[in-house]
Amino acid sequence: NTLFTIVIVVRPILLMLVCPCTWQTYAFTPFATTATQKTTSLRFTATKTSIQSNSEEERQSLIKDLLQVARTHGPIGIESTEESQREIISIADKIKALSIPNPSSLPLRGTHSLLYSLANSVSPKDGKKKGSASAGKLGPFVGRVTQEFLNDEEFRNIVRLLGGFVKVAINARREVLDGQRIRVKFQSMSFYIGGAQVMEKETKGGGIWKVLFVEEFEEDGKKMSVRVMETPSLFVIVQEL
């Protein structure tokens, strides 16, 4: 009976995952790494010394506002109020001018967590926008979305559902084009149930992603990397340092 119940719950999730229309060409974007924490911290420090104190105060204030809106209305921001969407877009537009130089050129390793996304798909029933799989929305389920970097080129976008019992991973490659842009190509999609891989299939898609903002931020004595991406939908991703 327990096995039958698990199959009934998991089967519709897998059907949604294997449908090409479920996954959009923008999954959330690559972020910096714990393995390169020392290098990253040095860059942040060098940048801060060249910025006037009023700009620093403005940046810290905008980061606080960004995190507050993202935590309140994320991760599926597209299903929140239009007012909150306009607010976070406005913050992103202001904060991008205060980013460290060449944000996409930072080395990438480690695990990063999605905090907020405006990625969406359109419901065939009523034409309304709803959260997309790239933001962790699969039917009535909302999963936890992370990104794991294997090396300078390979990474995985991962969605965990039902407390991690069901997991889907999109394997991809990235290429830094310049200080702000990254080219991403998806290669395959893997499915796991209870820790065991049950399916793998090739997948296509990708695009040019923009890193709008990157900065180190300290909150309650803990440091994190805060990044704002445009893929073209807005994404806010954080990593504990």
Side-chain angles (χ1 to χ4, degrees), residues 193-209:
I193 296 179
Q197 182 174 321
V198 297
M199 186 188 306
E200 184 173 7
K201 57 175 289 187
E202 292 185 2
T203 187
K204 297 181 180 180
I208 306 298
W209 298 347

Side-chain angles (χ1 to χ4, degrees), residues 33-46 106-107 216:
T33 78
T34 33
T36 56
Q37 179 180 347
K38 292 183 179 179
T39 302
T40 303
S41 296
L42 287 174
R43 294 191 185 187
F44 281 127
T45 303
L106 291 177
E216 186 176 293

Side-chain angles (χ1 to χ4, degrees), residues 16-240:
M16 286 185 290
L17 290 173
V18 298
C19 176
C21 61
T22 302
W23 293 90
Q24 302 185 20
T25 57
Y26 45 82
F28 79 95
T29 307
F31 271 77
T33 78
T34 33
T36 56
Q37 179 180 347
K38 292 183 179 179
T39 302
T40 303
S41 296
L42 287 174
R43 294 191 185 187
F44 281 127
T45 303
T47 303
K48 287 182 179 179
T49 58
S50 64
I51 297 177
Q52 296 180 353
S53 59
N54 58 340
S55 296
E56 178 64 20
E57 291 176 2
E58 180 184 6
R59 178 168 50 203
Q60 294 297 311
S61 177
L62 286 172
I63 292 176
K64 289 180 181 179
D65 293 342
L66 179 78
L67 293 177
Q68 181 178 356
V69 177
R71 287 166 175 162
T72 302
H73 300 284
I76 314 296
I78 197 66
E79 296 184 7
S80 190
T81 65
E82 292 186 2
E83 180 181 359
S84 68
Q85 294 175 38
R86 289 193 296 268
E87 183 178 8
I88 201 165
I89 290 174
S90 175
I91 295 172
D93 187 59
K94 294 175 182 177
I95 206 172
K96 64 183 180 182
L98 300 173
S99 175
I100 65 170
N102 303 318
S104 70
S105 299
L106 291 177
L108 304 170
R109 292 290 188 281
T111 301
H112 312 264
S113 300
L114 176 66
L115 197 62
Y116 182 93
S117 170
L118 283 177
N120 64 87
S121 58
V122 178
S123 171
K125 294 183 179 180
D126 54 20
K128 294 183 178 180
K129 291 182 178 180
K130 60 180 182 179
S132 74
S134 61
K137 184 67 179 290
L138 294 166
F141 302 98
V142 177
R144 177 175 176 263
V145 182
T146 60
Q147 195 169 55
E148 298 177 2
F149 290 92
L150 308 179
N151 52 51
D152 290 337
E153 297 180 348
E154 298 176 302
F155 69 95
R156 310 174 81 199
N157 286 342
I158 299 175
V159 179
R160 291 176 173 85
L161 300 159
L162 304 179
F165 183 76
V166 177
K167 182 176 76 172
V168 57
I170 297 182
N171 305 298
R173 296 184 69 88
R174 59 179 293 277
E175 175 189 1
V176 176
L177 299 178
D178 54 36
Q180 189 179 51
R181 299 180 304 150
I182 297 172
R183 176 183 285 119
V184 173
K185 292 183 179 180
F186 302 131
Q187 296 184 312
S188 64
M189 188 182 298
S190 303
F191 306 92
Y192 301 82
I193 296 179
Q197 182 174 321
V198 297
M199 186 188 306
E200 184 173 7
K201 57 175 289 187
E202 292 185 2
T203 187
K204 297 181 180 180
I208 306 298
W209 298 347
K210 291 183 179 180
V211 184
L212 301 181
F213 174 83
V214 178
E215 183 56 281
E216 186 176 293
F217 182 71
E218 185 170 339
E219 183 181 59
D220 298 327
K222 298 181 180 179
K223 290 186 177 181
M224 68 178 76
S225 173
V226 179
R227 301 183 178 227
V228 181
M229 310 297 302
E230 194 175 77
T231 70
S233 296
L234 189 73
F235 282 77
V236 178
I237 304 174
V238 297
Q239 181 194 26
E240 294 183 2

